[in-house]
Amino acid sequence: MSVLMKGADVANAMKEELIEKTNHLKEQGVTPCLAIVRVGSRPDDLSYERGAKKRMEMIGIECRIVELAEDIEQKEFERAFEKVNDDPSVHGILLFRPLPGHLDEEAIKAMIRPEKDCMSPVNIAKVFAGDETGYAPCTAEAVVEMLDHYGIDVTGKRVTVVGRSMVVGKPLAMMLLKKHATITVCHTRTVELAKTCREAEILVAAAGKAKMITSDMVGDDAVVADVGINVDESGNLCGDVDFDAVEPKTSYISPVPRGVGSITTSVLAKHVVCAAMRQAENE
Ligand code: NDP
């Protein structure tokens, strides 16, 4: 019988530890603070913002929302962003992307202080170099947290990651490599995708294709983590894995929704607390 890897269980376990660390910081006079910078009001951003704010408040992290007009000009945006970036009481920044087309996203990325945001190129480089002081993209780290929580040791295991984006597939592959897994990364040009997936002891699906991982692509007793968030033909949320068909073959599997996606705001909170702790140590 397969174990269902529930995001909420992972997030709850992380919460206890984060509350403890946050309380300790507060005793030292430091309140961890996240600034959420949003341009315009896309429904997806607003929904994630609500979840993130709730999670931060649950842990005792201050959450400031910086809301900017959809048509804000580059210079004005940079000024507003710099204010948050340079504010020593802000330990982490969540900037919703993609930014509206008229704003230069690369310029902004380069501006972000690496100690405040995981999308800074400095952090990506650190993740790829195996330097643990770098902040990894939250979704990639959420998969690692999930596997850790369920006691799944990746050492020496054959792990296949389907997807090679810079937000999920590639950084996740590097993080698991650092933990001594043997990694194969698949993408749209992969030949024999089904076979490569089937041979994996741990399979991570992060392709963004509804139910593309079918039961013939999964080996017996495999661990399957599903990162995909898609809408199926009936308009329901689903992952990249055909859950009902695949689940009986697995030893562990994560659902969509209520799987990996439920852990990302906890990882964000972990980054903010960690940034605040580093700042407190340097004072
Ligand atoms: P991207 O579209 O940036 O990347 C998708 C990757 O999957 C690409 O590398 C692509 O290959 C590969 N791919 C797509 N189709 C196939 C296929 N049929 N066979 C093999 N490989 C394929 O997506 P993201 O990485 O941003 O996101 C992936 C999924 O994760 C999405 O469903 C997204 O919604 C979800 N997601 C979930 C988050 C969460 O909080 N749970 C957060 C971020 C993303 P190629 O490079 O060749 O094009």
Side-chain angles (χ1 to χ4, degrees), residues 32-34 56 61 91-92 267-277:
C33 174
L34 171 73
M56 299 309 136
I61 296 170
H91 303 97
V267 174
L268 181 61
K270 180 180 156 191
H271 289 176
V272 177
V273 170
C274 184
M277 282 167 68

Side-chain angles (χ1 to χ4, degrees), residues 254-276:
S254 71
V256 176
R258 291 183 282 280
V260 174
S262 314
I263 308 171
T264 58
T265 55
S266 300
V267 174
L268 181 61
K270 180 180 156 191
H271 289 176
V272 177
V273 170
C274 184

Side-chain angles (χ1 to χ4, degrees), residues 46-114:
L46 287 170
S47 153
Y48 196 83
E49 181 180 296
R50 276 194 296 277
K53 191 165 183 285
K54 198 169 144 199
R55 176 66 48 182
M56 299 309 136
E57 286 169 355
M58 205 183 271
I59 289 165
I61 296 170
E62 186 187 337
C63 188
R64 290 184 209 160
I65 312 282
V66 180
E67 190 177 355
L68 302 168
E70 178 87 42
D71 59 355
I72 190 167
E73 289 190 1
Q74 180 79 15
K75 280 274 154 270
E76 207 185 328
F77 176 76
E78 286 181 10
R79 260 197 304 276
F81 191 78
E82 222 152 42
K83 238 166 113 180
V84 185
N85 210 20
D86 292 343
D87 183 341
S89 68
V90 172
H91 303 97
I93 301 173
L94 168 64
L95 169 65
F96 283 115
R97 277 166 285 218
L99 293 168
H102 67 280
L103 294 174
D104 179 355
E105 197 164 310
E106 291 308 310
I108 312 288
K109 262 196 211 170
M111 268 173 76
I112 300 181
R113 287 176 183 265

Side-chain angles (χ1 to χ4, degrees), residues 2-262:
S2 180
V3 174
L4 190 66
M5 297 190 285
K6 294 184 199 152
D9 288 353
V10 185
N12 282 338
M14 290 175 75
K15 185 177 81 178
E16 298 311 319
E17 194 181 329
L18 289 170
I19 288 176
E20 207 175 292
K21 286 183 173 160
T22 300
N23 287 343
H24 185 63
L25 277 164
K26 286 182 175 172
E27 281 161 18
Q28 295 171 264
V30 178
T31 300
C33 174
L34 171 73
I36 299 182
V37 181
R38 172 168 46 79
V39 182
S41 35
R42 273 195 308 251
D44 283 1
D45 292 350
L46 287 170
S47 153
Y48 196 83
E49 181 180 296
R50 276 194 296 277
K53 191 165 183 285
K54 198 169 144 199
R55 176 66 48 182
M56 299 309 136
E57 286 169 355
M58 205 183 271
I59 289 165
I61 296 170
E62 186 187 337
C63 188
R64 290 184 209 160
I65 312 282
V66 180
E67 190 177 355
L68 302 168
E70 178 87 42
D71 59 355
I72 190 167
E73 289 190 1
Q74 180 79 15
K75 280 274 154 270
E76 207 185 328
F77 176 76
E78 286 181 10
R79 260 197 304 276
F81 191 78
E82 222 152 42
K83 238 166 113 180
V84 185
N85 210 20
D86 292 343
D87 183 341
S89 68
V90 172
H91 303 97
I93 301 173
L94 168 64
L95 169 65
F96 283 115
R97 277 166 285 218
L99 293 168
H102 67 280
L103 294 174
D104 179 355
E105 197 164 310
E106 291 308 310
I108 312 288
K109 262 196 211 170
M111 268 173 76
I112 300 181
R113 287 176 183 265
E115 64 271 24
K116 294 192 179 186
D117 185 290
C118 64
M119 286 316 281
S120 153
V122 174
N123 283 310
I124 297 290
K126 283 185 171 182
V127 171
F128 276 65
D131 176 344
E132 286 177 359
T133 65
Y135 298 108
C138 292
T139 307
E141 193 169 330
V143 176
V144 176
E145 288 284 351
M146 176 175 262
L147 296 175
D148 280 352
H149 177 83
Y150 284 94
I152 296 159
D153 183 5
V154 303
T155 308
K157 297 269 169 62
R158 290 185 305 278
V159 179
T160 295
V161 178
V162 184
R164 58 173 165 180
S165 76
M166 284 302 284
V167 281
V168 193
K170 273 189 203 164
L172 175 60
M174 291 302 128
M175 292 167 86
L176 295 173
L177 187 61
K178 163 102 180 152
K179 289 167 109 28
H180 313 297
T182 302
I183 309 284
T184 306
V185 180
C186 298
H187 45 81
T188 52
R189 311 285 177 92
T190 298
V191 181
E192 296 193 302
L193 177 70
K195 181 171 178 276
T196 310
C197 291
R198 201 163 46 238
E199 285 170 357
E201 292 163 280
I202 300 171
L203 175 62
V204 182
K209 292 280 172 290
K211 302 183 185 177
M212 67 164 280
I213 304 291
T214 46
S215 73
D216 61 306
M217 297 170 81
V218 177
D220 287 338
D221 295 327
V223 172
V224 177
D226 193 352
V227 179
I229 300 178
N230 316 291
V231 177
D232 69 12
E233 60 287 348
S234 329
N236 297 319
L237 219 55
C238 73
D240 288 354
V241 177
D242 185 356
F243 186 92
D244 291 340
V246 166
E247 190 261 355
K249 290 187 87 175
T250 60
S251 54
Y252 292 82
I253 186 166
S254 71
V256 176
R258 291 183 282 280
V260 174
S262 314

